[in-house]
Amino acid sequence: MSDSKIRNMDDFASVSGISRPTISKYFNDADSVRKSTRERIEKALARYDYQPNFYAMNQNRRLTKNVGIVIPYMSDPFFAEIARNVENHVIAAGFRPIVLGSQGNPEQEIENLNNLRLIKPAGVLLAPLGRMSDSERIAAFCADVPTVLFDANIENVGEAFIGSDNEQSIGLIVEYLCRTGEPPAFFEMRKPTNPNALKRRNAYVRSMERSGHKPHLIQVEGEGWDFEEIGFREGSRVLADRTLPTDTILCSNDRLAIGLLSAAYQLGMPVGLGENCTLRIAGHDDHPFSRYTCPTLTTVSQDYTSIAKKSAETLFSLIETEQRAQSRETTLFDGRLVMRGSA
Amino acid sequence: MSDSKIRNMDDFASVSGISRPTISKYFNDADSVRKSTRERIEKALARYDYQPNFYAMNQNRRLTKNVGIVIPYMSDPFFAEIARNVENHVIAAGFRPIVLGSQGNPEQEIENLNNLRLIKPAGVLLAPLGRMSDSERIAAFCADVPTVLFDANIENVGEAFIGSDNEQSIGLIVEYLCRTGEPPAFFEMRKPTNPNALKRRNAYVRSMERSGHKPHLIQVEGEGWDFEEIGFREGSRVLADRTLPTDTILCSNDRLAIGLLSAAYQLGMPVGLGENCTLRIAGHDDHPFSRYTCPTLTTVSQDYTSIAKKSAETLFSLIETEQRAQSRETTLFDGRLVMRGSA
DNA sequence: ATCATATATTTACGCGCGTAAATTATTAAT
DNA sequence: ATTAATAATTTACGCGCGTAAATATATGAT
């Protein structure tokens, strides 16, 4: 076990007795070298745990196996979950995923794309910040790198968009709420920071009108990504006012709902379907946490799995055909009602 | 505005009329060039938005301004928060932070360190997975790169350790609980995955014995990082059994407590300090979410700020002196009791 | 054994940048 | 104006790897 430090591919070529270009070829595609050669390389690999320098690799390469995945917020469990899903597809297809979070910051989002450029990705899966995004620079990026948008759309940017059908999913829960009790008011931020908020607002309004009810928007103040805090603070105020025309509140997303549930609890307003309950609260997204709220949160889950799968597959076919999409396709998946305790 | 694409430093040197080595020097330290030169460069920079290739930069460099930050789990809000704190200090000191999460996976943790190696970091701030960590390979890394451990200790690895005094913080809350009601049982995973769990268990036992009470450990099954789910599932079982010798439960961390609170709620067992409450539940860490549980979670907060600051400063002084620490220092900060509604 | 074919090696250059040494230009002080 | 100090430029090489072309070797079929 002569473990003299292997510092680069040249060193490894020496100890394995094979030329560097062949080693390079092996790492690019293990099956592109003769079987006997491959075995010799792998035997050497087992003794000296050499690994090519990832960044040097990408420096002078035509095609790479790198796929960038960019999400709006790393520590939001909703995005973390969908990113994990996408990542698995990318790995399964033999690509190397690089996941980056934009921390709610449009500049960070552009910086992420610029950083991805440096490793010459074969393609990128981008869940943009949405309205806040610097769509011009994102479009410029998409012109150079095959990019598929998911979760949030930016019109005419990227080769395709895959997301949820907010019209359907909001319609679903509005219909459910109307059918089982009073029609819901819609709780949201006046100037929402998260991507699909405006779509959901409009979907709510239309859905209410369709079933002959008057929409009621509760638009609260607040900025940034601390949605629970906003839901709690503004929710406390709204609930304490007791000026709501309904006992049912549909929140634009689960994180607002979580804050609102906490507010209701502290005001001693029992939430749920029980006899003594004075309030029903519903959310949207099936946030990982919504299983543990008190009461558990009735919500509508996005079809993570399908969105992740379709996004990845769309990108792969773009990469394989090595050409841009003729037309920009939009795919929307249906949400699924998740009935729990809160409504 | 002749925006012919600037592809590299050579191109930028041409359009700015300054030699490439000088440009390189400028990017390395803007004050190292003459003021008039600097202004010419910055004028050109404003017109052509060139930015040096980060990875090529680090390829043949002696010293870099990169500082790696590695945390056990990216999407755990607790770690996300402390990482954000550390990151700010790193930026303020003029370094460039690179944050990586190990996703609870020891191999990923090693891979993160290996990836950091490639960008030749000036130093690394590492919050290790703890017991699960491949401490041998981490030690090997620390031998090459100045590394400061925080949050979780690995004996004799790294130049220093900065964390919380679990003995103190657990003692604090045990004392509080004992003083204000029945002495607590300790709710934890039999084989804990998170770093400080064993320290906390021992601290609990000692603290109970010190105040003359018999410790009672509730050690539940479960693996992985889905603590809320474990807290809920096992908590439901434990609470339904009604075999607890006490009405007070101290959880090893807030995430377990969140699951347990949910279990109690669903079993109709009111938690808190009210007359009709049959249970008190407390946690540890002051998880960002513990403000929104029902009832809000009484816990003990770690001194994020101080830990982040001291960790960063320790690393900076190591980097500046360009030498290893004579002795491995350990700094522990006190926790602070956060009294809320649950206990 | 002979030959065509597949595979490996050699050689040489490129990626985008850091860095060192020698040279030249600029600045500030005399 | 002269000089010494400072800063910029030129030149040249290196980092760790990809890649292409020419050459050499191994393989398998005849």
Side-chain angles (χ1 to χ4, degrees):
Chain A
M1 196 122 356
S2 54
D3 44 4
S4 52
K5 292 270 168 70
I6 307 296
R7 299 218 161 277
N8 52 38
M9 205 177 265
D10 265 318
D11 287 1
F12 183 71
S14 302
V15 299
S16 63
I18 297 185
S19 74
R20 191 181 65 73
T22 304
I23 305 275
S24 171
K25 212 172 164 212
Y26 166 84
F27 276 111
N28 191 23
D29 175 8
D31 286 321
S32 67
V33 302
R34 203 185 294 145
K35 211 171 93 186
S36 61
T37 313
R38 179 175 165 174
E39 279 161 4
R40 282 168 64 200
I41 295 177
E42 278 164 0
K43 204 156 76 181
L45 225 42
R47 291 190 24 190
Y48 312 88
D49 65 339
Y50 165 73
Q51 210 179 314
N53 182 316
F54 176 72
Y55 301 109
M57 254 175 60
N58 297 321
Q59 190 131 22
N60 189 25
R61 209 174 202 171
R62 301 202 174 294
L63 290 102
T64 72
K65 286 285 192 180
N66 305 327
V67 167
I69 302 171
V70 181
I71 56 175
Y73 215 91
M74 201 58 136
S75 45
D76 184 320
F78 171 82
F79 290 116
E81 182 63 17
I82 196 165
R84 216 178 46 78
N85 253 284
V86 174
E87 201 178 355
N88 287 339
H89 285 284
V90 171
I91 293 171
F95 290 89
R96 170 171 178 143
I98 293 95
V99 184
L100 300 173
S102 304
Q103 315 305 346
N105 183 350
E107 289 168 38
Q108 172 91 54
E109 188 170 50
I110 297 299
E111 200 187 315
N112 284 341
L113 295 180
N114 284 336
N115 278 334
L116 283 177
R117 256 208 173 93
L118 305 181
I119 55 169
K120 306 199 173 144
V124 167
L125 289 154
L126 168 64
L129 288 169
R131 236 174 25 277
M132 309 170 63
S133 289
D134 184 341
S135 50
E136 206 170 308
R137 299 177 77 178
I138 292 183
F141 177 84
C142 294
D144 298 341
V145 181
T147 303
V148 168
L149 265 57
F150 69 102
D151 183 65
N153 198 2
I154 301 179
E155 287 304 326
N156 293 319
V157 172
E159 306 298 302
F161 170 68
I162 291 93
S164 273
D165 186 345
N166 289 292
E167 202 70 36
Q168 179 270 344
S169 61
I170 290 287
L172 195 63
I173 193 152
V174 166
E175 188 276 332
Y176 163 76
L177 292 172
C178 289
R179 180 160 47 81
T180 55
E182 298 183 13
F186 191 72
F187 187 90
E188 62 168 351
M189 288 158 74
R190 183 181 306 283
K191 293 179 290 183
T193 50
N194 59 326
N196 285 296
L198 294 185
K199 290 227 166 95
R200 289 180 192 168
R201 174 193 301 171
N202 295 334
Y204 161 78
V205 171
R206 272 193 289 273
S207 178
M208 287 289 277
E209 287 169 348
R210 207 179 308 129
S211 44
H213 295 112
K214 189 157 176 294
H216 184 90
L217 297 175
I218 310 170
Q219 301 188 314
V220 303
E221 300 304 323
E223 283 183 1
W225 285 77
D226 202 352
F227 300 157
E228 292 86 4
E229 142 69 9
I230 293 168
F232 176 78
R233 174 169 37 83
E234 296 297 310
S236 297
R237 205 175 42 72
V238 169
L239 292 179
D241 277 357
R242 293 183 189 274
T243 56
L244 281 182
T246 167
D247 70 355
T248 303
I249 303 178
L250 171 60
C251 297
S252 178
N253 64 64
D254 281 355
R255 294 183 59 193
L256 284 172
I258 287 166
L260 185 58
L261 276 174
S262 182
Y265 181 90
Q266 287 187 39
L267 288 169
M269 302 172 76
V271 176
L273 304 171
E275 298 265 316
N276 59 334
C277 293
T278 60
L279 210 55
R280 295 192 303 165
I281 293 177
H284 192 291
D285 290 346
D286 196 20
H287 189 284
F289 237 81
S290 56
R291 262 179 288 264
Y292 306 109
T293 54
C294 305
T296 53
L297 184 61
T298 289
T299 185
V300 33
S301 83
Q302 297 194 42
D303 192 350
Y304 292 118
T305 322
S306 301
I307 294 177
K309 191 168 174 225
K310 175 75 175 174
S311 306
E313 283 171 356
T314 305
L315 183 63
F316 299 151
S317 84
L318 280 171
I319 293 174
E320 274 165 28
T321 59
E322 282 188 66
Q323 57 189 16
R324 296 319 180 84
Q326 288 86 355
S327 61
R328 187 174 184 278
E329 261 185 60
T330 291
T331 312
L332 300 180
F333 288 97
D334 280 0
R336 193 173 46 79
L337 195 60
V338 179
M339 280 179 281
R340 297 209 183 93
S342 69
Chain B
M1 195 110 12
S2 56
D3 44 7
S4 52
K5 294 271 168 68
I6 306 297
R7 299 219 160 277
N8 53 37
M9 204 177 266
D10 264 319
D11 286 1
F12 183 71
S14 302
V15 299
S16 64
I18 296 183
S19 74
R20 192 181 64 73
T22 304
I23 305 275
S24 171
K25 214 174 163 209
Y26 166 84
F27 277 111
N28 190 24
D29 175 9
D31 287 320
S32 68
V33 302
R34 204 184 294 147
K35 210 171 94 187
S36 62
T37 312
R38 180 175 165 177
E39 279 160 5
R40 283 168 63 201
I41 294 177
E42 278 163 2
K43 203 157 74 182
L45 226 40
R47 292 191 22 189
Y48 313 87
D49 66 336
Y50 165 73
Q51 210 179 315
N53 182 315
F54 176 72
Y55 301 109
M57 254 176 59
N58 297 320
Q59 189 129 23
N60 189 25
R61 208 173 204 171
R62 302 204 172 291
L63 290 102
T64 72
K65 287 285 193 178
N66 305 327
V67 167
I69 301 171
V70 181
I71 55 175
Y73 216 91
M74 203 55 134
S75 45
D76 184 322
F78 172 83
F79 289 116
E81 181 64 16
I82 195 165
R84 216 177 47 77
N85 253 285
V86 173
E87 201 179 355
N88 288 339
H89 285 284
V90 170
I91 292 171
F95 290 89
R96 170 169 178 144
I98 292 95
V99 183
L100 299 173
S102 305
Q103 315 306 348
N105 182 351
E107 290 168 38
Q108 172 92 53
E109 187 169 50
I110 298 299
E111 200 187 315
N112 283 342
L113 295 180
N114 284 337
N115 278 334
L116 283 178
R117 256 208 172 94
L118 303 181
I119 55 169
K120 307 202 171 132
V124 167
L125 289 154
L126 168 65
L129 288 169
R131 236 175 25 279
M132 307 170 65
S133 289
D134 184 341
S135 50
E136 207 168 307
R137 299 178 76 178
I138 292 182
F141 177 84
C142 294
D144 298 341
V145 181
T147 303
V148 167
L149 265 56
F150 68 101
D151 183 67
N153 200 1
I154 300 178
E155 287 303 327
N156 293 321
V157 173
E159 305 297 302
F161 170 68
I162 291 94
S164 272
D165 186 346
N166 289 293
E167 201 71 35
Q168 179 270 344
S169 61
I170 290 286
L172 195 62
I173 193 152
V174 166
E175 188 276 333
Y176 163 76
L177 292 171
C178 289
R179 180 160 47 80
T180 55
E182 298 183 13
F186 190 72
F187 187 88
E188 63 167 352
M189 289 159 73
R190 183 181 306 282
K191 292 180 290 183
T193 49
N194 60 327
N196 286 295
L198 295 184
K199 291 226 164 97
R200 290 181 191 168
R201 174 193 300 173
N202 294 334
Y204 162 77
V205 171
R206 271 193 292 272
S207 177
M208 287 288 278
E209 286 169 347
R210 209 179 309 129
S211 43
H213 296 113
K214 191 160 175 290
H216 183 88
L217 297 176
I218 311 169
Q219 301 188 313
V220 303
E221 300 302 324
E223 285 183 0
W225 285 75
D226 201 351
F227 300 157
E228 291 87 3
E229 142 70 11
I230 293 168
F232 176 77
R233 175 170 34 85
E234 296 298 309
S236 297
R237 206 175 40 72
V238 169
L239 291 180
D241 277 357
R242 295 182 186 275
T243 55
L244 282 182
T246 167
D247 70 356
T248 303
I249 303 179
L250 171 60
C251 297
S252 177
N253 63 65
D254 280 355
R255 295 183 59 193
L256 284 172
I258 287 166
L260 185 59
L261 277 174
S262 182
Y265 181 90
Q266 286 187 39
L267 289 168
M269 302 171 77
V271 177
L273 304 171
E275 297 266 315
N276 59 335
C277 293
T278 58
L279 210 54
R280 295 194 302 163
I281 292 178
H284 191 292
D285 289 346
D286 195 21
H287 189 283
F289 236 83
S290 55
R291 260 179 290 266
Y292 306 109
T293 54
C294 304
T296 53
L297 185 61
T298 289
T299 183
V300 34
S301 84
Q302 297 195 41
D303 192 350
Y304 291 119
T305 322
S306 301
I307 293 176
K309 190 167 176 227
K310 175 77 175 173
S311 305
E313 282 170 357
T314 306
L315 183 63
F316 299 152
S317 85
L318 280 170
I319 292 173
E320 274 165 29
T321 59
E322 283 186 65
Q323 57 188 13
R324 296 320 180 84
Q326 288 85 357
S327 62
R328 187 176 184 279
E329 259 185 62
T330 291
T331 312
L332 300 180
F333 287 98
D334 280 1
R336 191 173 48 79
L337 195 60
V338 179
M339 279 178 282
R340 296 208 185 93
S342 70

